[in-house]
Amino acid sequence: MTYHQLGLVDQFRGRLDEAKHWYEMALDIDSALGHPPAVAAAYDSYGMLERLRGRLDEAEEWYRRSLIVSDRIED
């Protein structure tokens, strides 16, 4: 969770490459631990980064991945 928070800090500062690094670390750990809510949050964060970069197709793809994981949690 802390890696994700560090990513948010860098994202708010406009340091998108650094934010992506932190989100990648969080995703790696959360995937290995089998923590779907955090994986969905990481995908959502990737979507935000791509949206901020103006890459809307890529953002949509990450948001859809987040939805897929979130839907599995609710089942």
Side-chain angles (χ1 to χ4, degrees):
M1 186 68 165
T2 301
Y3 289 122
H4 190 263
Q5 297 303 317
L6 288 169
L8 286 172
V9 169
D10 275 333
Q11 179 180 321
F12 292 140
R13 289 181 172 157
R15 299 188 299 205
L16 302 184
D17 290 336
E18 291 86 345
K20 184 178 179 185
H21 164 76
W22 293 117
Y23 293 149
E24 287 172 347
M25 291 184 69
L27 179 59
D28 289 346
I29 292 168
D30 293 327
S31 294
L33 294 175
H35 193 238
V39 170
Y43 289 163
D44 185 73
S45 295
Y46 281 147
M48 285 190 289
L49 289 177
E50 294 302 335
R51 183 180 53 82
L52 290 170
R53 289 181 168 132
R55 301 174 187 164
L56 299 183
D57 290 338
E58 291 86 350
E60 181 180 7
E61 179 62 31
W62 284 112
Y63 290 141
R64 289 185 183 278
R65 289 183 189 188
S66 180
L67 282 174
I68 290 168
V69 173
S70 295
D71 287 346
R72 289 182 188 155
I73 295 167
E74 295 176 8
D75 288 344

